[in-house]
Amino acid sequence: MTNTQSRPWDFLENYRGTVFTGEWPTFPQVLTISAARFPESPCFTDFDGPGDSKRTRTYAQVLDDVKKLALWITANGVKKGDKIAVTGKNSPEWATAYLAALYASAIVVPIDYALHDDEVANLIKASEPKMLFVDEEKYERFAKKYKTIKTLSLSKQFPKTYVYNLDATDPKQRGTAKTSTAAKASGTAKSAKIKENAPAKSGDVAAILFTSGTTGTPKGVMLTHENLISDCYIAQMNFRHSNGDVFYALLPIHHAYTMQAAFINPLSTGAEIVFGKSMAVSRLMKELREGKITVMLGVPLLYNKLLAGIKKGIREKGVLVANLMKFLMGLSYIIKKTTGKNPGKVLFKKVLVQANIYTLRVAICGGGPLSSGVFKAYNAAGINFIQGYGLTETSPIITLNPVEHFKIESVGKDFAPYEEIKIINPDKDGIGEIAVKGPMVMKGYYNMPKETKAMFTQDGFLKTGDIGKLDSEHYLILCGRAKNIIVTSGGKNVYPEEIEDMFQLCDDIQQITVQGYEENAEEKSEGIEALVYPSDDVFAKFGVKRNDALFITDDVRHMIQTDIDNVNKNLPPYARITKVTILDKPLEMTTTMKVKRKYK
């Protein structure tokens, strides 16, 4: 069980009254404390040196880089509370610019690098940043585009959105996070005797995270220093980590989940952060192997792919070996669950080394529920595998499974007494809308008071829009999104996510989305439809090309229908899939690899 006698943040008392004075330190104060505790420990690492070699900056070096760039930012007119946008692939330069904005007492606006230019323009228009840091590959066109920009009201020209190249070596392109240029920028600031901005307070907004980049009015979630830092330390109640751990920031770091779990959290304990820029298999394997990763953050699709590769390697060794491995994994899981001991690391060392995950201490899955089979497989193989749950509006972690006492069916345990979760209007099974209250809950939506008010109950709980229930030990079981619920003619609620999860280990299906369809127009009843994008292996097996006009052969349809029938056997009659649509193109996905649902 998690030890609640000592809190993960108790060490902060050594710095209270000197580095900070409030209940929680600000983001810059957290980095200052970690640099004081672990000055020579590795902080930022990537593999973008000559010949893809490893580059590492220590905590002392990162703090120096950040302070120099922050001073340059201030020298160029950024005042406390101004906004600075950052967009680019995961990198030490991205992280340095992010931190420097906060050290300058500005508000950072991380923007999804995968968005289209018109979507980025929409977010720039909404947030009105004083500066924009961008990767080199997009620098030229962004620099031309954002010489001036109109505000949302269109009543005036914005003074100037200055664009800076994160990867620049040319001193003319100042604002780069690279040390050499930051140092030159610092010299400019010092010579001008620029006065530093007043430091941010814990309750000040630290970041605005936009949940959409569409051409409509985007929602910008305002998260304070207290929101982000309290969530960082409170989450460690259920997952302890420390200096010496190596976190892998592979998913896009602008996203709240990666930002909190693979950036803010390791910075708070002096751990190392390895920045991954690509999901290309060769790159991923190199970074896992040479980075000696101990903590990995991922989403269901990523872990499913890794597991599929491991299973394929085992199958290639023959039926006898595959059956033996299956037996040993079952035995390993039982031993771990009943005794707390983890024999998998010894039993399956060769397999884990081959998959470049032998050094993994903990793997965390977020962004959606994971199949129980995948969850079991990793734990059985010797990897401590846990799930968490949250949303951008909660900084984002709300629950997390303790490593020592996890529940497969749950997305985690709450952090009482530091937060409170309740279920609104529960049914007879205790299922209702999940609501939460605590220091990690957002300040509100940027310039959207009505939308902010609508998110809260009268007694101050944030309504998540998710459906679930709490068990007797305060573990949260997630059912799905309220707006995704399918109501059958018999009045039964069907949660499509629960059905989709049952296909996560199905090799024949690359993507599946379950939705309701009008089964009977007169009765206005809904049936259950599955939109299926088959895997490449299905077509290869029957010698069919995916793009052929007649790609959906009887053989392909039969194989997919067999998979559907196998899942239907384990579903109650009212939740069974009655219509299957095979897609010729993949469904659009978010940057965290979740299918974008289209609501009717």
Side-chain angles (χ1 to χ4, degrees):
M1 295 291 287
T2 302
N3 179 11
T4 57
Q5 300 304 310
S6 64
R7 302 173 306 179
W9 59 90
D10 281 345
F11 74 91
L12 290 175
E13 294 305 320
N14 299 325
Y15 301 90
R16 195 182 300 277
T18 53
V19 178
F20 74 102
T21 56
E23 183 176 2
W24 299 101
T26 62
F27 211 134
Q29 289 164 346
V30 167
L31 179 59
T32 299
I33 291 169
S34 289
R37 296 175 75 200
F38 313 107
E40 300 308 314
S41 291
C43 181
F44 292 164
T45 293
D46 70 5
F47 289 88
D48 287 333
D52 292 334
S53 61
K54 187 177 182 180
R55 302 188 307 169
T56 296
R57 303 290 287 171
T58 67
Y59 269 84
Q61 290 172 326
V62 166
L63 180 60
D64 187 54
D65 295 345
V66 168
K67 284 184 173 181
K68 287 174 179 175
L69 185 55
L71 191 61
W72 185 89
I73 286 171
T74 305
N76 279 269
V78 171
K79 304 298 183 186
K80 181 178 180 179
D82 284 342
K83 290 173 283 293
I84 295 178
V86 184
T87 184
K89 296 175 182 177
N90 293 359
S91 68
E93 290 77 30
W94 187 102
T96 302
Y98 179 107
L99 290 167
L102 296 176
Y103 257 87
S105 302
I107 297 169
V108 67
V109 183
I111 295 178
D112 186 348
Y113 197 59
L115 292 177
H116 299 300
D117 283 4
D118 59 341
E119 294 176 310
V120 173
N122 195 38
L123 299 187
I124 294 292
K125 188 182 292 186
S127 61
E128 300 178 332
K130 210 64 172 293
M131 289 183 173
L132 170 63
F133 289 88
V134 62
D135 268 4
E136 187 168 16
E137 66 180 356
K138 293 185 180 181
Y139 169 73
E140 289 294 339
R141 72 172 188 262
F142 274 50
K144 291 177 183 177
K145 186 177 182 68
Y146 297 115
K147 289 180 180 178
T148 60
I149 186 167
K150 290 185 177 182
T151 63
L152 277 175
S153 66
L154 302 180
S155 60
K156 58 181 175 135
Q157 288 285 335
F158 192 61
K160 250 189 183 181
T161 295
Y162 295 96
V163 182
Y164 299 99
N165 186 344
L166 282 172
D167 303 310
T169 54
D170 182 351
K172 293 178 182 178
Q173 297 173 353
R174 289 205 175 107
T176 173
K178 287 208 172 185
T179 309
S180 58
T181 310
K184 293 175 183 177
S186 174
T188 303
K190 285 178 180 176
S191 64
K193 295 182 180 179
I194 297 299
K195 184 180 179 181
E196 293 183 16
N197 292 328
K201 297 179 180 178
S202 186
D204 291 342
V205 175
I208 299 176
L209 274 58
F210 284 96
T211 58
S212 171
T214 59
T215 52
T217 304
K219 279 187 177 178
V221 178
M222 295 187 293
L223 298 176
T224 66
H225 288 268
E226 179 184 18
N227 291 154
L228 292 166
I229 302 307
S230 67
D231 196 50
C232 161
Y233 286 116
I234 290 171
Q236 292 172 42
M237 294 289 294
N238 289 354
F239 169 47
R240 301 280 180 127
H241 52 83
S242 62
N243 173 251
D245 271 315
V246 183
F247 282 68
Y248 193 24
L250 177 62
L251 298 176
I253 204 168
H254 75 273
H255 191 273
Y257 167 44
T258 315
M259 186 181 299
Q260 179 60 267
F263 181 47
I264 302 175
N265 253 265
L267 283 177
S268 75
T269 59
E272 181 180 0
I273 303 168
V274 173
F275 294 92
K277 288 188 177 181
S278 169
M279 293 222 184
V281 175
S282 59
R283 178 86 180 198
L284 174 64
M285 292 296 104
K286 173 185 172 67
E287 290 170 347
L288 282 171
R289 181 177 62 255
E290 297 183 21
K292 293 181 169 52
I293 308 299
T294 66
V295 181
M296 182 173 178
L297 292 301
V299 291
L301 182 60
L302 175 61
Y303 288 120
N304 290 339
K305 283 187 174 182
L306 280 174
L307 184 60
I310 294 171
K311 287 167 62 181
K312 183 179 180 181
I314 292 173
R315 285 197 302 268
E316 289 173 352
K317 296 182 183 297
V319 176
L320 186 62
V321 172
N323 287 335
L324 177 60
M325 292 288 283
K326 184 177 181 180
F327 169 76
L328 289 175
M329 288 184 76
L331 179 62
S332 174
Y333 180 78
I334 292 171
I335 292 172
K336 181 179 180 183
K337 192 65 178 168
T338 55
T339 69
K341 306 292 183 183
N342 195 344
K345 270 284 175 79
V346 177
L347 289 173
F348 308 111
K349 181 177 179 179
K350 286 186 178 180
V351 175
L352 297 176
V353 168
Q354 187 176 3
N356 297 301
I357 56 174
Y358 181 71
T359 58
L360 268 188
R361 184 171 71 83
V362 177
I364 302 174
C365 184
L370 187 73
S371 162
S372 61
V374 178
F375 197 120
K376 265 187 178 180
Y378 280 100
N379 274 289
I383 304 297
N384 290 316
F385 197 96
I386 56 177
Q387 292 189 84
Y389 162 72
L391 54 159
T392 304
E393 289 84 347
T394 59
S395 304
I397 305 171
I398 296 175
T399 63
L400 191 63
N401 261 294
V403 172
E404 303 87 351
H405 186 51
F406 64 86
K407 294 187 180 183
I408 281 186
E409 68 277 12
S410 168
V411 289
K413 191 179 188 297
D414 69 4
F415 303 111
Y418 303 102
E419 74 170 4
E420 186 179 353
I421 295 177
K422 73 174 181 178
I423 305 300
I424 301 174
N425 299 322
D427 62 15
K428 60 182 178 62
D429 297 316
I431 299 173
E433 184 176 4
I434 302 161
V436 62
K437 181 189 287 187
M440 67 287 294
V441 174
M442 70 170 181
K443 187 171 185 175
Y445 293 122
Y446 182 61
N447 287 339
M448 289 185 169
K450 289 183 180 179
E451 288 82 354
T452 299
K453 185 178 179 181
M455 286 292 292
F456 290 88
T457 63
Q458 288 187 341
D459 55 351
F461 279 78
L462 176 82
K463 296 180 287 185
T464 66
D466 288 321
I467 302 298
K469 64 180 180 179
L470 286 167
D471 71 9
S472 60
E473 294 184 285
H474 280 235
Y475 283 76
L476 183 66
I477 290 85
L478 193 64
C479 297
R481 293 290 293 172
K483 59 186 176 183
N484 295 345
I485 293 176
I486 303 166
V487 182
T488 68
S489 57
K492 296 285 189 179
N493 288 342
V494 176
Y495 305 99
E497 294 91 343
E498 290 185 344
I499 301 174
E500 291 162 3
D501 293 343
M502 299 175 76
F503 288 92
Q504 285 189 18
L505 290 177
C506 180
D507 295 334
D508 301 333
I509 295 176
Q510 186 168 322
Q511 287 181 338
I512 183 167
T513 293
V514 173
Q515 62 183 20
Y517 73 97
E518 191 174 64
E519 195 172 35
N520 188 311
E522 291 183 7
E523 297 177 6
K524 295 184 177 179
S525 61
E526 285 191 294
I528 314 297
E529 178 185 15
L531 304 179
V532 176
Y533 183 68
S535 68
D536 293 336
D537 291 343
V538 171
F539 297 98
K541 183 174 181 178
F542 298 111
V544 180
K545 291 184 179 179
R546 187 188 289 278
N547 296 325
D548 283 353
L550 300 176
F551 77 101
I552 308 176
T553 66
D554 288 342
D555 288 331
V556 170
R557 189 177 295 280
H558 177 73
M559 178 173 279
I560 297 302
Q561 188 61 54
T562 299
D563 293 325
I564 298 290
D565 292 343
N566 288 335
V567 168
N568 273 343
K569 292 174 185 176
N570 297 308
L571 290 169
Y574 64 84
R576 289 173 183 164
I577 296 167
T578 55
K579 180 181 178 183
V580 178
T581 300
I582 298 179
L583 307 174
D584 60 343
K585 295 180 180 179
L587 295 160
E588 186 179 1
M589 302 187 80
T590 67
T591 50
T592 51
M593 297 187 287
K594 291 190 291 186
V595 170
K596 288 186 178 181
R597 293 183 185 274
K598 298 192 182 302
Y599 298 101
K600 299 173 182 178

